[in-house]
Amino acid sequence: MTQRQITLVLIGLMIAMFLSSISQTVVGTSMRTIADDLQGLELQVWVVTAFLIVSTIVTPIYGKLSDIFGRRPLFLVAIALFLVGSIASSFAQDMVQLAAFRALQGLGAGGLMSLPLTIMADVLNPRERAKYQGYFLAVFGVSSILGPLIGGVLAGTEEILFLEGWRWVFLFNLPIGIAALWMVFRYLHLPAHHERVKIDWWGAALLVMGVVPLLLVAEQGREWGWASTAAIACYLIGAIGIVLFVVVETRMGDTALIPLHLFRNSTFSMATLLGVFTGFAMFAAMMMIPFVLQIVHGMNPTEAGFATLPMILGLMIASIASGQIIGRTGRYRLFPVVGLGVMAVGYGVLVTLQFNSPLWMLLLAQLFIGLGLGQLLQTLTIASQNAVRPKDMGVATSASTFFRQLGGTTGVAVAFSLLYTRLPDALAEAFARPDLRAQLAQAAQEPDVLADPGNARILDVLQQPEQLGSALDNDSSFLNTADPRLAAPFLDGFSNATTGPFWVGLAVVAAAFLLAIFFKAPPLRQKSAMEEALDERARTAQLEADGSGPGSYAPPVTTSPIPVVDAGGRQRSRDAED
């Protein structure tokens, strides 16, 4: 491929990644409006869960199928499924339909999350890849900011072109997706795959059986009860599915959905484990901090979106800078260690926050977390890709993304479970503080406070103390209009309740930091996966011409000239690598 073709392909990949990442954030600020319009507020969690579970599950399936059938057809299918799901979601008539259509959208999003990084590995050598992945993460950061803003604006508009405004939350994907579809169809041309390989359908089915129940109980455990019949059934089904999945994958060998031999490589195994921890800490922070901004600091969704800018800026700066350094030196071992250390500082700031802490402390914590993430996300992906053979590039990249998504899903579930488990006690402790009780009692005796409709909800809770523990479960907007003295105990209780999840995040980051110290990082290879695959075919052809046959080839331990055909059709020679 020429440099122009590579540039155009990368633009198409960036558009697709923008599409997938913005779809994860754009619904958040509009979900309350959607649920009210479709009269299904209690079902809104299923709309989010359906997308998350399906997109996570199909990620390794896309990777394996792309290794067999090629990246281009699978990527085109992923974009098409995503667009069909977007159109269907925009015309949903109830929350059950919306959840089903969001699952269809997630079926495509799983490919949009993993295949761009795999295709980059095909067309760029690891050093060049490190430079460009920084820009890909910048696209991720921009979409993370724009998602909540776009969702809030569209959902806040009553009607656009004869449709409710919230329906355009899904329809606005169409021009972006069509642009990505055309760019990939027009410019992405990789060598075709002609090998016949057995598809691991049993592995795919057992992966669904093992992971879906555990993700489901992670999302719904607090609602059901962690020891309820439904939760126990999920534990049992998930455990049986995982055991059977490991057995089947062991028997399938190289044709497995997630070949277990990949984990014999210490670099790949450590990068995958660090990816799980990174996903946990990243998603826990990205989901919890907007809650703190909106409830404790009284911001609306749009303001909270802008207030996450320090994290995104930190991520963009660190990812681009680390990519340039890796591209020039070919070394990356220190970045996971430094990145996790910087993230630990950010979480260290978060655990010290009180409800009356200045906003700049929260912004500073976000900056540190972003600077840490920027050094981790692309480095761990590059390490995973550098540790495997070209033929396993797709499944290795998708496995890395899959386990990071699992870590992220677990992080969100654990964070919110701890938050709402701790919240009733935290509110009770806040209302027991003498200083806050004195201010509250003074405010409750003033006639203008009693007459203000904005204080009605809090005054009602004060008259019915049994409501205190669940006062913030469904609606916290009353805090924005209440007298500050009445709202102070609620803000203090909520702020203290968030400390528990932040401490867990800090512990996870600290554990990952200790593991990263022992991370082995071989120097980056000099060729792209596509070039290495062409080299391997050239070696096989030469051996067959010599009468040795393809099955007898072993990598040489000494160097010898090997003819290689470059992208322009010219023949050149190079020394074989060990």
Side-chain angles (χ1 to χ4, degrees), residues 137-188:
L137 290 177
V139 169
F140 170 79
V142 171
S143 64
S144 298
I145 297 173
L146 290 180
L149 299 180
I150 294 174
V153 170
L154 293 176
T157 305
E158 185 174 348
E159 186 176 288
I160 303 175
L161 295 179
F162 310 107
L163 290 175
E164 294 96 330
W166 67 261
R167 297 187 184 273
W168 289 92
V169 169
F170 306 104
L171 286 176
F172 94 98
N173 290 328
L174 292 184
I176 304 173
I178 291 172
L181 194 68
W182 184 82
M183 293 287 288
V184 171
F185 180 81
R186 177 68 177 82
Y187 296 108
L188 181 60

Side-chain angles (χ1 to χ4, degrees), residues 219-417:
E219 294 285 342
Q220 300 294 316
R222 188 181 67 87
E223 191 77 20
W224 295 343
W226 299 105
S228 65
T229 302
I232 292 174
C234 286
Y235 299 144
L236 291 176
I237 295 172
I240 293 171
I242 290 175
V243 171
L244 293 177
F245 176 76
V246 172
V247 172
V248 168
E249 298 304 272
T250 302
R251 298 188 64 179
M252 291 294 292
D254 284 347
T255 60
L257 182 67
I258 301 179
L260 299 184
H261 70 77
L262 296 177
F263 295 95
R264 299 192 193 114
N265 185 294
S266 61
T267 299
F268 180 85
S269 297
M270 182 63 79
T272 301
L273 183 59
L274 293 178
V276 172
F277 288 159
T278 298
F280 186 106
M282 176 178 70
F283 280 94
M286 292 181 71
M287 294 299 292
M288 288 293 298
I289 289 175
F291 266 68
V292 176
L293 290 168
Q294 293 182 64
I295 294 178
V296 177
H297 293 277
M299 296 183 180
N300 60 41
T302 302
E303 293 169 339
F306 278 116
T308 60
L309 188 61
M311 183 186 297
I312 305 306
L313 286 177
L315 188 150
M316 292 169 62
I317 292 169
S319 62
I320 293 174
S322 61
Q324 294 296 320
I325 294 172
I326 294 173
R328 293 176 182 176
T329 65
R331 300 191 178 277
Y332 54 95
R333 182 184 178 279
L334 282 179
F335 287 109
V337 179
V338 175
L340 288 164
V342 174
M343 278 191 72
V345 174
Y347 265 101
V349 175
L350 290 178
V351 298
T352 66
L353 295 179
Q354 302 293 325
F355 82 99
N356 54 0
S357 297
L359 178 61
W360 66 262
M361 291 185 64
L362 181 54
L363 301 181
L364 182 65
Q366 291 186 79
L367 178 63
F368 279 118
I369 291 175
L371 289 172
L373 285 173
Q375 299 177 65
L376 285 163
L377 295 179
Q378 67 166 330
T379 304
L380 296 177
T381 300
I382 289 173
S384 298
Q385 293 172 337
N386 193 60
V388 303
R389 300 170 297 180
K391 62 179 293 187
D392 292 324
M393 191 65 68
V395 71
T397 305
S398 62
S400 176
T401 305
F402 169 70
F403 284 107
R404 186 172 66 241
Q405 287 289 111
L406 278 181
T409 303
T410 305
V412 172
V414 169
F416 280 100
S417 294

Side-chain angles (χ1 to χ4, degrees), residues 70-201:
R71 318 287 186 222
R72 184 171 180 265
L74 266 294
F75 199 39
L76 292 173
V77 167
I79 298 174
L81 285 173
F82 184 89
L83 293 179
V84 171
S86 297
I87 296 172
S89 297
S90 69
F91 291 101
Q93 299 302 309
D94 56 50
M95 292 293 280
V96 174
Q97 286 185 19
L98 183 58
F101 295 148
R102 281 283 284 174
L104 177 60
Q105 196 180 30
L107 198 62
L112 299 183
M113 291 175 187
S114 61
L115 290 179
L117 298 178
T118 306
I119 294 170
M120 284 182 64
D122 285 334
V123 301
L124 297 172
N125 67 60
R127 291 196 181 192
E128 289 295 318
R129 201 183 312 151
K131 297 178 184 177
Y132 283 103
Q133 279 190 2
Y135 298 109
F136 272 71
L137 290 177
V139 169
F140 170 79
V142 171
S143 64
S144 298
I145 297 173
L146 290 180
L149 299 180
I150 294 174
V153 170
L154 293 176
T157 305
E158 185 174 348
E159 186 176 288
I160 303 175
L161 295 179
F162 310 107
L163 290 175
E164 294 96 330
W166 67 261
R167 297 187 184 273
W168 289 92
V169 169
F170 306 104
L171 286 176
F172 94 98
N173 290 328
L174 292 184
I176 304 173
I178 291 172
L181 194 68
W182 184 82
M183 293 287 288
V184 171
F185 180 81
R186 177 68 177 82
Y187 296 108
L188 181 60
H189 300 287
L190 300 175
H193 289 232
H194 299 293
E195 56 182 329
R196 295 179 61 86
V197 180
K198 184 178 180 181
I199 301 176
D200 184 15
W201 296 117

Side-chain angles (χ1 to χ4, degrees), residues 452-476:
D452 187 350
N455 298 322
R457 172 63 177 149
I458 293 182
L459 294 174
D460 182 56
V461 171
L462 293 178
Q463 294 174 1
Q464 303 179 57
E466 66 276 6
Q467 295 183 15
L468 181 61
S470 59
L472 299 179
D473 282 1
N474 297 318
D475 184 12
S476 61

